[in-house]
Amino acid sequence: MADRKYEFSWDFIGDVKEGRPNLGNTTRIEVYRLFQYTLRDVLEEKFGTEAADRVFFDAGYKAGVNFCKQFIGESSNLNDYIEKVKQALLDLKIGILRVESADIDRLTFVLTVAEDLDCSGLPDMGHAVCTYDEGFITGVFYSYNGAELNVKESDCWCTGDRTCRFHVTPMSHA
Ligand SMILES: [Zn+2]
C-alpha cells in the first residue's frame, strides 16, 4: 500500500517528556478503556464481531512485536525472555503475568494475566474479551524465535474469573 498514513512506528509514541511536560506519561484506565471499547464498538458496528475481533487480534500482535523490540530485546533462552516480558508488563502496569505451566519442547504453555489492563473489573459477560491480548502474546512468542503459536483465552474477568488464562499451543494443534 503506497499511501499509508498510520503505519505503526515508535514515532506515534513520540517524545512524551517534551510533549507533556506537566501531565507526564500516565493517564487513567478509564481513558484507555474508553478508547478501546468505543473503537471496538465502531469496528463491530461497521464490520461485524468477527472482523472487529480480527482487527484487535492483529493490532495486539503488532503491539506485542513492537513491545518486544522496544522493551525486551535478545535473550539467550525462553525462560529468561519470559522473565523479562513479565517484568516489562509489570513496569508498564499492563498486567501481572504468571506462567502456570510450560512445556518448552512442545511449545505448550498456560499463562495467566491478573489485573489485566483490558478486562479486570468488567462485569461478567459470558465471553472472554481479551482478543488484543491473544494477539499480543502471539507477537511476544513470535518475537522470541519466529514461532507462530496459537493463543486462546479460556478464562477472563468477563467470564466470571478473576484472572485471564491463555492457552498457548503450536499452530498445528489449533
Ligand atoms: Zn480477559
Side-chain angles (χ1 to χ4, degrees), residues 116 119 129-130 153 155-157 164 166:
D116 186 274
C119 75
V129 299
C130 298
E153 186 181 31
D155 306 311
C156 183
W157 196 286
C164 298
F166 298 92

Side-chain angles (χ1 to χ4, degrees), residues 3-23:
D3 299 319
R4 294 283 307 275
K5 282 168 78 178
Y6 302 118
E7 185 176 5
F8 183 78
S9 81
W10 220 256
D11 289 347
F12 283 112
I13 310 299
D15 184 338
V16 180
K17 258 202 186 107
E18 192 192 319
R20 289 171 52 107
N22 297 298
L23 297 178

Side-chain angles (χ1 to χ4, degrees), residues 108-146:
T108 301
F109 306 87
V110 179
L111 308 176
T112 60
V113 180
E115 302 193 26
D116 186 274
L117 185 54
D118 294 326
C119 75
S120 273
L122 268 63
D124 187 346
M125 297 177 186
H127 60 83
V129 299
C130 298
T131 320
Y132 184 87
D133 296 21
E134 289 175 344
F136 191 95
I137 293 168
T138 307
V140 164
F141 277 100
Y142 177 77
S143 296
Y144 176 67
N145 63 359

Side-chain angles (χ1 to χ4, degrees), residues 43-80:
L43 286 171
E44 185 183 48
E45 245 174 16
K46 287 194 189 298
F47 307 111
T49 304
E50 202 178 308
D53 278 344
R54 190 71 226 171
V55 167
F56 259 71
F57 182 94
D58 290 353
Y61 182 86
K62 280 199 187 201
V65 169
N66 282 285
F67 167 87
C68 288
K69 236 188 248 166
Q70 187 74 10
F71 297 111
I72 310 300
E74 300 284 307
S75 291
S76 52
N77 64 69
L78 188 56
N79 278 333
D80 176 49

